[in-house]
Amino acid sequence: MTEEGGFARKGSIRGVRLTNCRQEVTMRKIIPEQAEQQHKNDQKEKGTKEPFDASIFEGMFPPDKKYVTQVSLAPPWIEAAYPELSPVSMSDFAHCEQTKDSMFPGCQASRVAQDSNLGVVDVMHLRLCGNEDEQGWTRLNEATNSVLPDYDDEEQTDIMDG
């Protein structure tokens, strides 16, 4: 595992393939950035000009700790099914609300493809502590390529809005 992150264990959870959990030390960067963005949104909404105080996060994230910032899931049979799928997939992100089980809202990404019966097949799902941005799309692509190394082929088309 590198200083900037890496992948934890792979395995199965109730018939779903856990492809990776990304652990990063950048949580101490992500949370203040999300808080600052929320502060800016609140300023626009309320019309206030109070400056953002990043010092409230000092010491909150010990440097020797790593935090899980992404979990990706793929069907256990996707490697075998992939050659039979249409070379066109569709990917998108949905923003997640904060719940009692998830401290941070983040995003969920889904990538699906079409099979020969015109059905939709799950290729990859990603729960990410982050946003739908270049880094989010990169993480979705990395997770997909960790299961399907041939996915990033010139014959594969992915329809997305990113």
Side-chain angles (χ1 to χ4, degrees), residues 3-4 6 17 26 46 55 77-78 133 136 144 152 155 160:
E3 179 64 17
E4 277 305 306
R17 181 175 178 173
T26 56
K46 297 174 184 172
S55 68
W77 41 261
I78 194 63
D133 55 13
T144 304
D152 199 10
E155 293 182 20
M160 60 180 188

Side-chain angles (χ1 to χ4, degrees), residues 48-99:
T48 63
K49 301 216 185 265
E50 184 178 316
F52 178 71
D53 181 13
S55 68
I56 62 172
F57 296 103
E58 289 176 13
M60 187 178 285
F61 302 104
D64 60 333
K65 302 286 185 205
K66 295 190 185 286
Y67 302 89
V68 174
T69 59
Q70 118 185 5
V71 175
S72 55
L73 303 169
W77 41 261
I78 194 63
E79 289 173 275
Y82 180 70
E84 307 303 320
L85 298 178
S86 168
V88 177
S89 59
M90 196 281 302
S91 303
D92 201 6
F93 280 76
H95 293 277
C96 301
E97 294 294 323
Q98 183 172 339
T99 68

Side-chain angles (χ1 to χ4, degrees), residues 21 27 102 145:
C21 293
M27 182 62 82
S102 171
N145 286 325

Side-chain angles (χ1 to χ4, degrees), residues 21-38:
C21 293
R22 188 173 186 116
Q23 297 181 341
E24 295 194 22
V25 295
T26 56
M27 182 62 82
R28 65 185 70 76
K29 178 182 174 202
I30 293 171
I31 301 304
E33 284 177 357
Q34 287 181 342
E36 185 172 17
Q37 184 59 49
Q38 183 63 48

